[in-house]
Amino acid sequence: GQQVMQIPQYQHVQEGEDFTTYCNSSTTLSNIQWYKQRPGGHPVFLIQLVKSGEVKKQKRLTFQFGEAKKNSSLHITATQTTDVGTYFCAGDAGGTSYGKLTFGQGTILTVHP
Amino acid sequence: ETGVTQTPRHLVMGMTNKKSLKCEQHLGHNAMYWYKQSAKKPLELMFVYNFKEQTENNSVPSRFSPECPNSSHLFLHLHTLQPEDSALYLCASSQEMGTYSNQPQHFGDGTRLSIL
């Protein structure tokens, strides 16, 4: 079955440093979604990438979808303490399974003030 | 306010008990999902309902039994659970499955389940 690997599992940064998490799917995806889960909270949708090579920005967050639509990355510039949480990628194989997501393990981000 | 409400927030039960988890969404969505979130593991999709029809059972043991009486409500009935079933159970909803690629999922706060 489809697998989605995400690295690193943990990342500790000083406030102001940059952060990147990488996501790799075993199969070609229709689209990929990113979610953030704050400690004690629930996953919250951040963004969806659909097109090959797509790049989207949300303020300090930059999301990329690989040309082969099998990998993706999330980059945060100049982290803040509010960025703390777990970042998940989730792959959607599409077709009749649109909406069925396979989640990566997540990257737990800790930001030290 | 998430638009997806789960009750109870916490549940402690013995292995021989029967209990149910409830999920209600106020977003007008037609697809609803149950996920299991264990420590250090990815979110595991358990069940999917699309327009009240179960479209996915991800090899979940029969001690978990879902029910979807309408598009707004989803239940997970629990019976004779094992200690390894202790986890956070998350409900999510989305517009619908199988039609569009644009399908963000909206999650509830989850039920923290502990099996004694």
Side-chain angles (χ1 to χ4, degrees), chain A residues 1-22:
Chain A
Q2 181 186 25
Q3 292 186 345
V4 175
M5 305 300 294
Q6 195 173 346
I7 57 169
Q9 190 173 353
Y10 302 94
Q11 186 75 62
H12 300 262
V13 299
Q14 289 293 131
E15 190 173 19
E17 292 181 340
D18 292 356
F19 158 76
T20 304
T21 173
Y22 300 90

Side-chain angles (χ1 to χ4, degrees), chain A residues 3-106:
Chain A
Q3 292 186 345
V4 175
M5 305 300 294
Q6 195 173 346
I7 57 169
Q9 190 173 353
Y10 302 94
Q11 186 75 62
H12 300 262
V13 299
Q14 289 293 131
E15 190 173 19
E17 292 181 340
D18 292 356
F19 158 76
T20 304
T21 173
Y22 300 90
C23 187
N24 220 347
S25 169
S26 59
T27 59
T28 301
L29 300 171
S30 171
N31 63 82
I32 194 161
Q33 299 179 11
W34 285 90
Y35 290 78
K36 176 184 178 181
Q37 185 173 19
R38 293 182 186 276
H42 59 271
V44 175
F45 174 78
L46 293 177
I47 208 160
Q48 177 175 265
L49 304 171
V50 179
K51 298 176 183 177
S52 170
E54 189 170 16
V55 178
K56 286 189 176 180
K57 292 190 175 185
Q58 288 180 351
K59 297 183 180 178
R60 295 177 295 104
L61 278 62
T62 301
F63 303 84
Q64 291 188 322
F65 201 10
E67 294 290 339
K69 300 184 75 172
K70 293 183 71 174
N71 55 67
S72 181
S73 65
L74 158 59
H75 179 81
I76 302 179
T77 305
T79 54
Q80 301 175 358
T81 54
T82 52
D83 295 325
V84 163
T86 303
Y87 292 85
F88 294 98
C89 62
D92 187 338
T96 57
S97 297
Y98 271 135
K100 179 187 170 186
L101 298 176
T102 301
F103 279 80
Q105 195 172 3

